[in-house]
């Protein structure tokens, strides 16, 4: 069975600084995908970044990067140059790598960016 | 808009009432997922459709929960005889068919959710 663990219920970061949100996972599947989603107070889940288990390089998307350490089964999200609009819930999720797969989500981290 | 839409956005039901939650996926999206998100938790999978076929309903918590997608587009999640533990946000997500594209992942596009409160 797949399991995602996010151990930081809440995080504070100063505007313009970088922040790392932790995510560890457990799976017996040889191939899998890891996702990060942002959920603002409006409730909609916004896709941020993806990392495949066989990807050789860490994924990056603008100010978001994923620190993927396969041996440690961790997939931490790094947000550089934090902005006030980054304040939201952040969820780590895992799925299989096939075309259609349900997601397994962690419990989330509430990020607050201070001016 | 072009995103996933859900209605109603908010629903208050008395215990024992039946409710129906609607999801309009992005046009052309083959897959449709329903998730339940309890307060302060991450979403949990309920059920999955590929076109009109319900391929996975392993996450439905009881036989009071029923989902359908009769024409392969709009989907309805129905909860019969609602109970207080059913109070949650119900999220719908859709994704398109990447078969043959060489893509190794398939992101899901989420709607804004329906917040159900059972009194």
């Amino acid at each position: 069975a797949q399991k995602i663990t996010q151990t930081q219920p809440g995080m504070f970061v100063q505007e313009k600084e970088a922040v790392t949100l932790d995510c560890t996972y457990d799976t017996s599947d040889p191939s899998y995908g890891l996702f990060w989603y942002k959920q603002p107070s409006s409730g909609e889940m916004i896709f941020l970044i993806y990392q495949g288990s066989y990807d050789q390089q860490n994924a990056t998307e603008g100010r978001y990067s994923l620190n993927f350490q396969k041996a440690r089964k961790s997939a931490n999200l790094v947000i550089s140059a934090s902005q006030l609009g980054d304040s939201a819930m952040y969820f780590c999720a895992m799925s299989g790598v096939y075309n259609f797969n349900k997601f397994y989500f962690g419990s989330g981290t509430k990020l607050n960016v201070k001016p | 808009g072009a995103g996933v839409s859900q209605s109603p956005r908010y629903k208050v039901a008395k215990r024992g009432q039946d409710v129906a939650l609607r999801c309009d996926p992005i046009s052309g999206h083959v897959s449709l997922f329903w998730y339940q998100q309890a307060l302060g938790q991450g979403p949990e999978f309920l059920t999955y459709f590929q076109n009109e076929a319900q391929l996975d309903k392993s996450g439905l918590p009881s036989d009071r929960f029923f989902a359908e997608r009769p024409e392969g587009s709009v989907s309805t999640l129905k909860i019969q005889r609602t109970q207080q533990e059913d109070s949650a946000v119900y999220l719908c997500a859709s994704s398109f068919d990447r078969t043959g594209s060489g893509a190794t992942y398939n992101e899901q596009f989420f709607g804004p959710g329906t917040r159900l409160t059972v009194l």
Side-chain angles (χ1 to χ4, degrees):
Chain A
Q2 286 86 350
K3 184 178 180 180
I4 293 279
T5 303
Q6 293 180 254
T7 58
Q8 306 155 313
M11 290 279 287
F12 285 91
V13 65
Q14 202 70 37
E15 190 179 10
K16 298 181 184 179
E17 292 186 347
V19 63
T20 298
L21 306 183
D22 294 342
C23 172
T24 58
Y25 60 91
D26 192 19
T27 181
S28 55
D29 290 346
S31 301
Y32 49 89
L34 296 155
F35 298 75
W36 277 91
Y37 277 82
K38 172 183 178 181
Q39 188 178 43
S41 56
S42 60
E44 195 160 341
M45 302 282 278
I46 301 168
F47 168 72
L48 296 178
I49 196 167
Y50 165 84
Q51 178 83 44
S53 59
Y54 285 104
D55 291 342
Q56 296 298 314
Q57 294 188 335
N58 287 345
T60 60
E61 287 286 348
R63 293 187 300 110
Y64 304 108
S65 61
L66 204 152
N67 184 2
F68 180 49
Q69 298 188 45
K70 192 172 182 179
R72 295 186 177 185
K73 293 190 174 181
S74 73
N76 298 339
L77 177 69
V78 180
I79 305 174
S80 63
S82 297
Q83 302 172 357
L84 295 179
D86 294 335
S87 293
M89 284 290 291
Y90 288 81
F91 290 96
C92 181
M94 179 169 60
S95 78
V97 293
Y98 302 107
N99 197 12
F100 307 114
N101 267 279
K102 58 192 175 189
F103 282 5
Y104 297 87
F105 285 88
S107 56
T109 295
K110 172 70 172 170
L111 177 66
N112 285 290
V113 180
K114 298 186 294 183
Chain B
V4 178
S5 61
Q6 293 186 245
S7 61
R9 289 294 314 277
Y10 302 91
K11 177 68 179 178
V12 179
K14 292 182 179 179
R15 187 160 55 97
Q17 280 185 334
D18 298 348
V19 298
L21 313 179
R22 176 187 169 104
C23 172
D24 281 86
I26 293 172
S27 178
H29 277 197
V30 171
S31 294
L32 187 146
F33 300 81
W34 283 98
Y35 294 87
Q36 181 190 58
Q37 186 176 18
L39 187 64
Q41 299 297 316
E44 292 195 359
F45 169 79
L46 292 177
T47 187
Y48 156 62
F49 290 86
Q50 185 172 334
N51 296 308
E52 68 277 4
Q54 189 175 19
L55 299 186
D56 187 345
K57 52 182 181 179
S58 60
L60 295 176
S62 76
D63 58 8
R64 297 185 296 103
F65 287 72
F66 172 76
E68 60 183 6
R69 194 185 185 197
E71 297 179 357
S73 56
V74 171
S75 177
T76 304
L77 176 67
K78 298 179 180 178
I79 309 173
Q80 298 176 325
R81 305 180 303 281
T82 53
Q83 300 179 7
Q84 286 187 324
E85 60 262 32
D86 299 335
S87 295
V89 174
Y90 290 85
L91 293 168
C92 175
S94 68
S95 62
F96 55 91
D97 185 355
R98 287 184 180 267
T99 303
S101 70
T104 57
Y105 75 95
N106 206 353
E107 71 192 79
Q108 295 181 17
F109 297 82
F110 284 80
T114 294
R115 182 177 297 276
L116 173 65
T117 303
V118 182
L119 303 176

